[in-house]
């Protein structure tokens, strides 16, 4: 017991910043939530938390993959890295990103090879992850093989 002082980090009273269930003080977790929008580098697991899980989980569960296509895609994943730009505010991202993650899971694609970047409505990030990539729509998925787009 901590005597109600918040020392367990559950409510942010210990000096940590907790926003919508995300610990913003974790290393390698440079995400920001502004007006309910997730901004910056994120993980799939961030989309599975409130408030984003409302659309993520339902779309993920509803999407049915084609086994023939999944088997063909499995043959083409070697040396692939992916940058996925999305907006948690965007209907297209809310529909397509859970489906994309379901495909990646079914083909056995390693999540460590996916960089998820969540963007503001103007399709920018404070860290300029989109610099020189000409991101005009979200979601935008960029595939790299041996560091070549």
């Amino acid at each position: 017991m901590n005597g109600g002082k918040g020392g367990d980090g559950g409510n942010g009273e210990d000096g940590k910043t907790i926003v919508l269930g995300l610990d913003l003080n974790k290393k390698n977790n440079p995400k920001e939530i502004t007006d309910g929008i997730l901004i910056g580098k994120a993980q799939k697991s961030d989309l599975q938390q409130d408030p984003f899980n409302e659309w993520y989980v339902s779309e993920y569960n509803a999407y049915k993959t084609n086994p023939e296509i999944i088997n063909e895609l499995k043959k083409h994943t070697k040396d692939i890295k992916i940058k996925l730009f999305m907006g948690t505010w965007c209907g297209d991202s809310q529909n397509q990103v859970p489906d994309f993650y379901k495909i990646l899971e079914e083909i056995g694609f390693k999540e460590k090879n996916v960089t998820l970047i969540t963007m503001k409505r103007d399709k920018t990030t404070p860290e300029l992850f989109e610099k020189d990539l000409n991101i005009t729509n979200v979601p935008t998925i960029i595939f790299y093989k041996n560091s070549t787009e």
Side-chain angles (χ1 to χ4, degrees):
M1 299 294 284
N2 61 25
K5 299 290 185 193
D8 65 356
N11 62 9
E13 291 180 17
D14 62 351
K16 290 185 176 181
T17 304
I18 307 288
V19 180
L20 297 173
L22 303 174
D23 184 346
L24 299 179
N25 290 317
K26 286 183 184 174
K27 288 189 175 192
N28 300 320
N29 198 13
K31 61 181 89 24
E32 172 185 333
I33 297 178
T34 304
D35 297 326
I37 298 170
L38 186 62
I39 303 169
K41 276 192 179 178
Q43 300 292 321
K44 175 181 66 174
S45 59
D46 297 321
L47 301 177
Q48 296 167 323
Q49 297 181 38
D50 282 333
F52 315 111
N53 66 341
E54 182 177 315
W55 51 264
Y56 183 91
V57 172
S58 62
E59 183 61 36
Y60 180 93
N61 290 336
Y63 184 68
K64 304 298 180 213
T65 59
N66 180 321
E68 291 176 21
I69 293 173
I70 293 298
N71 286 332
E72 184 62 30
L73 287 173
K74 286 179 181 180
K75 302 174 189 174
H76 303 284
T77 60
K78 188 175 191 239
D79 301 319
I80 298 292
K81 302 237 186 245
I82 298 171
K83 269 192 191 172
L84 170 55
F85 290 86
M86 69 163 294
T88 56
W89 46 267
C90 169
D92 289 340
S93 291
Q94 292 176 8
N95 289 328
Q96 296 169 19
V97 170
D99 299 352
F100 185 67
Y101 270 113
K102 189 168 204 173
I103 291 166
L104 292 179
E105 285 177 24
E106 289 194 12
I107 65 174
F109 196 84
K110 294 181 178 158
E111 191 174 339
K112 70 177 185 174
N113 292 325
V114 178
T115 302
L116 175 61
I117 311 285
T118 55
M119 308 185 85
K120 297 190 281 186
R121 290 183 188 275
D122 65 359
K123 298 171 194 79
T124 63
T125 60
E127 303 86 354
L128 301 176
F129 293 122
E130 70 285 355
K131 188 175 185 218
D132 299 324
L133 294 175
N134 195 29
I135 306 296
T136 59
N137 297 299
V138 290
T140 293
I141 304 169
I142 305 171
F143 293 85
Y144 296 91
K145 184 163 186 155
N146 300 318
S147 300
T148 302
E149 185 177 343

